[in-house]
Amino acid sequence: MFTSFVVTLYHVFLPISLPVIGGMLLKHFKAWDTRPLSAFSLYILSPALIFHTLLHAEITWTDVTSTFWFSILNLIALWALAELLSRIFGLGAPEKAGLTLVSTFTNCVNYGLPLVLLAFGKLGLDKASVYVIGQMIIVNTVGIFFAARSEFTVKKAIGSVFRMPTIYAAVIAILLRTFSISLPEALDGGVSMVATGYAPIVLAILGAQMLRSKGDREPWQANVRRAFWAGLVVRLAAAPLLSWLILKALHVEGTLFPVLLILASMPTAVNAVILAEQFGASPQFVSRCILWTTAASMLILPIMIVMFS
C-alpha cells in the first residue's frame, strides 16, 4: 500500500501541486490580484469544461439518479451533524452558520475536478460532472440559506443560480445530447481547447487564495476556536465516513463510487468564505478551515484514492 501511496502522490498530487505553488509564489512576491482571472475562470473556463464534459460524457441514467440521491442525503447528514455540534459546543449564530458552510460545501470544482481527472481519467471526469453541476446549484441556493437565514429569500436564491453561466452551458449540452445534435468539428475543438485551460488556472488561483487566508492574524475568541476544531473534525473525518456509509446504502458501484467519495471528502470550498464574509458567518474561522483542510487533504486524499480505486 505504501508503494501505491507514493505512486499516487507522484502521478496525481505532484502535477496538481505545481500550479498551486506557482499561485502561492505569485501572491507572495507579486501581490497577485486573482480577481480578473477568477472571473475568466467562472464565466469562460468553467462553462466550457462542463459543456464539453457533459456533451461527450459516458454517463447513464443510473449514474444521474445515484448522484442526485447521494448529494441530497449527504447534504442533510452533514447539515444535521453541524447543527448537533453547534448545540454541543454552544456556538453563537455566526459560528453556527460558518460551521454549517464548512461542513457541507467542498472544493469539488477548483480542486476536485483536476484531481478526479488525474486520478480516474476521462471516465472519472464524466461521472464527476453531474455531481459538480448539482453542487453549484446547491451552493447558490441552500448555501445562501445557511449563511444568512434571516436574510434568505427564494427570489435571491433563484436569481443567483440563473446568473451562473455554467448552468446554461449544462442545459445546452443536455439538449444537444437529447436531440443527438453534434457540434461542428472546429467549434467542438475550440471548446475543448478552452476547457483544457481550466485545471492549471483554477489551481493557481487556489494557491493564491490559500496564502491570502493565512494572513488573518486576529486573536481568536473561545467560540471561534471551538468552531474551527469542530469544522476540521467534520470535514476531515466525519464527512468521508458519512459519504462512505451513504454510498454503501445506495448500492453505488464501479467508478462512480470512488469519484463521489473523493468529491464529497474534498476540503472546504473557497465559496464558503465568500458567503461567510457577505453575511457575517464568522469568516475568520471559515478562511482558516479552508487553508488547513486543503493542506491536510494532500495527505488524506492520496490514501483514500489508493484504498478505493
Side-chain angles (χ1 to χ4, degrees):
M1 181 174 177
F2 178 75
T3 302
S4 298
F5 174 77
V6 173
V7 170
T8 301
L9 282 178
Y10 179 75
H11 287 289
V12 178
F13 283 84
L14 179 59
I16 283 179
S17 68
L18 294 181
V20 172
I21 293 171
M24 296 176 72
L25 292 175
L26 278 175
K27 182 65 179 181
H28 181 73
F29 290 106
K30 295 295 184 180
W32 181 32
D33 182 6
T34 60
R35 287 175 296 179
L37 207 54
S38 294
F40 179 69
S41 171
L42 176 64
Y43 291 103
I44 303 296
L45 297 180
S46 181
L49 177 68
I50 292 299
F51 175 81
H52 187 264
T53 302
L54 285 177
L55 189 61
H56 300 281
E58 297 180 11
I59 52 177
T60 65
W61 182 246
T62 302
D63 292 336
V64 174
T65 55
S66 296
T67 301
F68 171 80
W69 286 114
F70 170 75
S71 300
I72 297 300
L73 294 175
N74 194 50
L75 175 66
I76 294 173
L78 291 172
W79 183 6
L81 181 58
E83 290 281 340
L84 177 62
L85 291 176
S86 297
R87 294 189 179 187
I88 292 175
F89 292 114
L91 301 181
E95 289 73 34
K96 179 180 179 181
L99 178 60
T100 306
L101 292 174
V102 166
S103 302
T104 52
F105 299 123
T106 68
N107 198 352
C108 62
V109 181
N110 292 6
Y111 185 2
L113 286 180
L115 175 63
V116 166
L117 179 60
L118 285 170
F120 303 101
K122 183 182 180 300
L123 179 60
L125 185 63
D126 292 346
K127 307 293 186 183
S129 61
V130 178
Y131 179 83
V132 167
I133 290 294
Q135 289 300 301
M136 288 179 176
I137 295 173
I138 290 173
V139 166
N140 286 274
T141 51
V142 182
I144 294 174
F145 173 71
F146 285 160
R149 300 178 190 184
S150 61
E151 302 176 36
F152 175 82
T153 63
V154 175
K155 181 179 179 180
K156 184 173 183 178
I158 295 175
S160 67
V161 172
F162 286 99
R163 284 194 297 270
M164 297 167 58
T166 308
I167 299 300
Y168 295 102
V171 170
I172 294 172
I174 292 171
L175 289 175
L176 290 176
R177 287 194 63 154
T178 301
F179 294 102
S180 300
I181 301 174
S182 300
L183 288 181
E185 183 178 351
L187 181 58
D188 190 50
V191 174
S192 176
M193 181 182 66
V194 175
T196 56
Y198 174 85
I201 289 178
V202 297
L203 288 171
I205 293 171
L206 174 63
Q209 291 170 331
M210 286 175 60
L211 195 64
R212 179 175 57 192
S213 63
K214 193 175 180 179
D216 183 5
R217 299 294 183 184
E218 296 179 9
W220 282 15
Q221 298 178 353
N223 58 337
V224 175
R225 187 177 295 107
R226 290 195 299 269
F228 170 76
W229 286 110
L232 288 189
V233 170
V234 172
R235 188 90 310 272
L236 298 177
L241 178 59
L242 285 173
S243 300
W244 182 83
L245 292 172
I246 294 171
L247 287 168
K248 284 293 185 181
L250 292 174
H251 304 290
V252 176
E253 298 177 346
T255 304
L256 186 63
F257 184 98
V259 166
L260 292 180
L261 180 61
I262 294 299
L263 290 176
S265 304
M266 298 300 296
T268 303
V270 175
N271 287 345
V273 76
I274 297 174
L275 291 174
E277 288 174 345
Q278 183 175 357
F279 297 107
S282 193
Q284 181 187 29
F285 104 82
V286 172
S287 64
R288 295 196 184 186
C289 277
I290 293 172
L291 172 64
W292 288 106
T293 56
T294 302
S297 71
M298 297 294 180
L299 176 62
I300 295 173
L301 291 177
I303 295 175
M304 294 182 63
I305 290 173
V306 171
M307 290 177 62
F308 297 105
S309 292

